Amino acid sequence: MKIAIGNDHAAVELKFEIASYLEELGHEVVNYGTDETQSCDYPVYGVKVGRAVAAGEVDCGVLICGTGVGISIAANKVAGVRAAVCSDTATARLVKQHNNANIIAFGARIVGVELAKDIVKAYLDAEFMGGRHGKRVDMIHEIEADQFLC
Ligand code: RB5
C-alpha cells in the first residue's frame, strides 16, 4: 500500500521508526511530516495527510503528534477523512472494521515505539466489515455534506 505519514515536532523520532517499520512490511511511505524537532503547528501536517488521503493519492494515512488528538482533529476537517486516535490494538482494529478509518493517529507522548508498531499493524491487517457499519459511515458523510436528516 501507499501510506502517507505526517507528524509535528513532538513525533519526529517515532515517525521515522514507524516509517521504517512500514517499509519493512513492504509498504511505500510518503512523508508529509516535519523532520525537525523545533516547535511547529500540527494542523499543517494533519491537513497535508488528510488532503492526500481524501484525494486518493495514497491508500491511507498515519498521523502522530504529542497526543494524536490535535493532528487528527485537523485531518478530520478535510471532507472524506475519517481519522481515529488509538492507544491500543483493539481500538486500532475496530476503527477499520467498524468505522473504515482512513487515517490512524496516535500520540508519541502516549504510546511507546513497540505499541505504536502493533497499533499500525492491527489497523492495516483489519478489513472494513461494511453492512450496518457502512450505513453508519455513510451517515457521517451526510452530516459532513449537511444533508443528514434526523
Ligand atoms: C505540541 O506540544 C502538542 O500540543 C501537539 O503535539 C499535540 O499533542 C496536540 O494535540
Side-chain angles (χ1 to χ4, degrees):
M1 276 200 279
K2 190 170 178 180
I3 301 175
I5 196 163
N7 62 284
D8 71 359
H9 57 281
V12 175
E13 198 177 328
L14 186 55
K15 183 268 296 288
F16 284 125
E17 295 271 7
I18 295 300
S20 298
Y21 178 63
L22 289 170
E23 285 170 352
E24 276 169 32
L25 292 176
H27 300 291
E28 180 186 350
V29 178
V30 186
N31 179 16
Y32 289 90
T34 181
D35 295 345
E36 309 293 331
T37 54
Q38 72 196 52
S39 185
C40 62
D41 302 318
Y42 58 78
V44 172
Y45 307 101
V47 79
K48 283 183 180 179
V49 170
R51 285 174 177 164
V53 169
E57 292 165 11
V58 293
D59 297 299
C60 63
V62 175
L63 285 173
I64 325 170
C65 64
T67 59
V69 174
I71 204 163
S72 61
I73 289 174
N76 275 318
K77 296 300 178 188
V78 178
V81 166
R82 295 176 303 281
V85 186
C86 299
S87 299
D88 64 88
T89 56
T91 307
R93 171 175 52 83
L94 285 163
V95 300
K96 175 70 78 56
Q97 290 179 332
H98 288 195
N99 315 115
N100 203 16
N102 47 18
I103 296 180
I104 185 116
F106 44 87
R109 295 172 180 161
I110 307 297
V111 301
V113 178
E114 295 308 318
L115 178 54
K117 288 179 186 174
D118 288 349
I119 285 170
V120 168
K121 182 83 163 52
Y123 167 76
L124 292 174
D125 286 350
E127 286 185 20
F128 181 48
M129 294 168 73
R132 67 186 188 280
H133 302 295
K135 179 183 131 200
R136 293 164 187 161
V137 171
D138 289 345
M139 290 165 86
I140 291 170
H141 290 292
E142 286 168 20
I143 295 169
E144 191 172 69
D146 203 15
Q147 290 178 343
F148 184 67
L149 302 174
C150 63

